[in-house]
mmCIF file with all atom_site columns, all heavy atoms in Angstrom:
data_model
loop_
_atom_site.group_PDB
_atom_site.id
_atom_site.type_symbol
_atom_site.label_atom_id
_atom_site.label_alt_id
_atom_site.label_comp_id
_atom_site.label_asym_id
_atom_site.label_entity_id
_atom_site.label_seq_id
_atom_site.pdbx_PDB_ins_code
_atom_site.Cartn_x
_atom_site.Cartn_y
_atom_site.Cartn_z
_atom_site.occupancy
_atom_site.B_iso_or_equiv
_atom_site.pdbx_formal_charge
_atom_site.auth_seq_id
_atom_site.auth_comp_id
_atom_site.auth_asym_id
_atom_site.auth_atom_id
_atom_site.pdbx_PDB_model_num
ATOM 1  N N   . ALA A 1 22 ? 4.574  -17.152 -13.586 1.00 96.00 ? 631 ALA A N   1
ATOM 2  C CA  . ALA A 1 22 ? 5.535  -18.272 -13.572 1.00 96.00 ? 631 ALA A CA  1
ATOM 3  C C   . ALA A 1 22 ? 6.099  -18.470 -12.160 1.00 96.00 ? 631 ALA A C   1
ATOM 4  O O   . ALA A 1 22 ? 6.248  -19.598 -11.685 1.00 96.00 ? 631 ALA A O   1
ATOM 5  C CB  . ALA A 1 22 ? 6.642  -17.978 -14.559 1.00 96.00 ? 631 ALA A CB  1
ATOM 6  N N   . LEU A 1 23 ? 6.400  -17.334 -11.472 1.00 96.00 ? 632 LEU A N   1
ATOM 7  C CA  . LEU A 1 23 ? 6.877  -17.413 -10.077 1.00 96.00 ? 632 LEU A CA  1
ATOM 8  C C   . LEU A 1 23 ? 5.858  -18.058 -9.165  1.00 96.00 ? 632 LEU A C   1
ATOM 9  O O   . LEU A 1 23 ? 6.145  -18.941 -8.354  1.00 96.00 ? 632 LEU A O   1
ATOM 10 C CB  . LEU A 1 23 ? 7.228  -16.033 -9.556  1.00 96.00 ? 632 LEU A CB  1
ATOM 11 C CG  . LEU A 1 23 ? 8.530  -15.389 -10.009 1.00 96.00 ? 632 LEU A CG  1
ATOM 12 C CD1 . LEU A 1 23 ? 8.606  -13.955 -9.596  1.00 96.00 ? 632 LEU A CD1 1
ATOM 13 C CD2 . LEU A 1 23 ? 9.693  -16.136 -9.444  1.00 96.00 ? 632 LEU A CD2 1
ATOM 14 N N   . THR A 1 24 ? 4.586  -17.640 -9.358  1.00 96.00 ? 633 THR A N   1
ATOM 15 C CA  . THR A 1 24 ? 3.500  -18.174 -8.534  1.00 96.00 ? 633 THR A CA  1
ATOM 16 C C   . THR A 1 24 ? 3.316  -19.709 -8.778  1.00 96.00 ? 633 THR A C   1
ATOM 17 O O   . THR A 1 24 ? 3.210  -20.500 -7.857  1.00 96.00 ? 633 THR A O   1
ATOM 18 C CB  . THR A 1 24 ? 2.207  -17.456 -8.827  1.00 96.00 ? 633 THR A CB  1
ATOM 19 O OG1 . THR A 1 24 ? 2.402  -16.036 -8.631  1.00 96.00 ? 633 THR A OG1 1
ATOM 20 C CG2 . THR A 1 24 ? 1.075  -17.947 -7.895  1.00 96.00 ? 633 THR A CG2 1
ATOM 21 N N   . ALA A 1 25 ? 3.391  -20.078 -10.098 1.00 97.00 ? 634 ALA A N   1
ATOM 22 C CA  . ALA A 1 25 ? 3.239  -21.478 -10.440 1.00 97.00 ? 634 ALA A CA  1
ATOM 23 C C   . ALA A 1 25 ? 4.364  -22.308 -9.846  1.00 97.00 ? 634 ALA A C   1
ATOM 24 O O   . ALA A 1 25 ? 4.154  -23.416 -9.362  1.00 97.00 ? 634 ALA A O   1
ATOM 25 C CB  . ALA A 1 25 ? 3.222  -21.619 -11.970 1.00 97.00 ? 634 ALA A CB  1
ATOM 26 N N   . GLY A 1 26 ? 5.600  -21.752 -9.859  1.00 97.00 ? 635 GLY A N   1
ATOM 27 C CA  . GLY A 1 26 ? 6.721  -22.458 -9.280  1.00 97.00 ? 635 GLY A CA  1
ATOM 28 C C   . GLY A 1 26 ? 6.576  -22.585 -7.778  1.00 97.00 ? 635 GLY A C   1
ATOM 29 O O   . GLY A 1 26 ? 6.794  -23.644 -7.220  1.00 97.00 ? 635 GLY A O   1
ATOM 30 N N   . LEU A 1 27 ? 6.152  -21.504 -7.141  1.00 97.00 ? 636 LEU A N   1
ATOM 31 C CA  . LEU A 1 27 ? 6.008  -21.489 -5.703  1.00 97.00 ? 636 LEU A CA  1
ATOM 32 C C   . LEU A 1 27 ? 4.954  -22.522 -5.255  1.00 97.00 ? 636 LEU A C   1
ATOM 33 O O   . LEU A 1 27 ? 5.181  -23.268 -4.279  1.00 97.00 ? 636 LEU A O   1
ATOM 34 C CB  . LEU A 1 27 ? 5.591  -20.081 -5.230  1.00 97.00 ? 636 LEU A CB  1
ATOM 35 C CG  . LEU A 1 27 ? 5.528  -19.829 -3.757  1.00 97.00 ? 636 LEU A CG  1
ATOM 36 C CD1 . LEU A 1 27 ? 6.921  -19.879 -3.114  1.00 97.00 ? 636 LEU A CD1 1
ATOM 37 C CD2 . LEU A 1 27 ? 4.898  -18.434 -3.440  1.00 97.00 ? 636 LEU A CD2 1
ATOM 38 N N   . LEU A 1 28 ? 3.874  -22.545 -5.964  1.00 98.00 ? 637 LEU A N   1
ATOM 39 C CA  . LEU A 1 28 ? 2.752  -23.450 -5.574  1.00 98.00 ? 637 LEU A CA  1
ATOM 40 C C   . LEU A 1 28 ? 2.835  -24.823 -6.306  1.00 98.00 ? 637 LEU A C   1
ATOM 41 O O   . LEU A 1 28 ? 1.939  -25.633 -6.148  1.00 98.00 ? 637 LEU A O   1
ATOM 42 C CB  . LEU A 1 28 ? 1.387  -22.744 -5.852  1.00 98.00 ? 637 LEU A CB  1
ATOM 43 C CG  . LEU A 1 28 ? 1.190  -21.456 -5.103  1.00 98.00 ? 637 LEU A CG  1
ATOM 44 C CD1 . LEU A 1 28 ? -0.140 -20.809 -5.449  1.00 98.00 ? 637 LEU A CD1 1
ATOM 45 C CD2 . LEU A 1 28 ? 1.294  -21.671 -3.585  1.00 98.00 ? 637 LEU A CD2 1
ATOM 46 N N   . GLU A 1 29 ? 3.872  -24.987 -7.137  1.00 98.00 ? 638 GLU A N   1
ATOM 47 C CA  . GLU A 1 29 ? 4.101  -26.211 -7.852  1.00 98.00 ? 638 GLU A CA  1
ATOM 48 C C   . GLU A 1 29 ? 2.839  -26.623 -8.630  1.00 98.00 ? 638 GLU A C   1
ATOM 49 O O   . GLU A 1 29 ? 2.348  -27.765 -8.550  1.00 98.00 ? 638 GLU A O   1
ATOM 50 C CB  . GLU A 1 29 ? 4.528  -27.333 -6.877  1.00 98.00 ? 638 GLU A CB  1
ATOM 51 C CG  . GLU A 1 29 ? 5.833  -27.000 -6.236  1.00 98.00 ? 638 GLU A CG  1
ATOM 52 C CD  . GLU A 1 29 ? 6.281  -28.035 -5.199  1.00 98.00 ? 638 GLU A CD  1
ATOM 53 O OE1 . GLU A 1 29 ? 5.502  -28.988 -4.944  1.00 98.00 ? 638 GLU A OE1 1
ATOM 54 O OE2 . GLU A 1 29 ? 7.420  -27.924 -4.690  1.00 98.00 ? 638 GLU A OE2 1
ATOM 55 N N   . ASP A 1 30 ? 2.287  -25.680 -9.396  1.00 98.00 ? 639 ASP A N   1
ATOM 56 C CA  . ASP A 1 30 ? 1.090  -25.959 -10.193 1.00 98.00 ? 639 ASP A CA  1
ATOM 57 C C   . ASP A 1 30 ? 1.245  -25.197 -11.543 1.00 98.00 ? 639 ASP A C   1
ATOM 58 O O   . ASP A 1 30 ? 1.016  -23.988 -11.629 1.00 98.00 ? 639 ASP A O   1
ATOM 59 C CB  . ASP A 1 30 ? -0.153 -25.473 -9.449  1.00 98.00 ? 639 ASP A CB  1
ATOM 60 C CG  . ASP A 1 30 ? -1.443 -25.892 -10.173 1.00 98.00 ? 639 ASP A CG  1
ATOM 61 O OD1 . ASP A 1 30 ? -1.373 -26.210 -11.379 1.00 98.00 ? 639 ASP A OD1 1
ATOM 62 O OD2 . ASP A 1 30 ? -2.504 -25.864 -9.548  1.00 98.00 ? 639 ASP A OD2 1
#
Side-chain angles (χ1 to χ4, degrees):
L632 283 170
T633 305
L636 186 68
L637 300 179
E638 298 178 354
D639 187 343

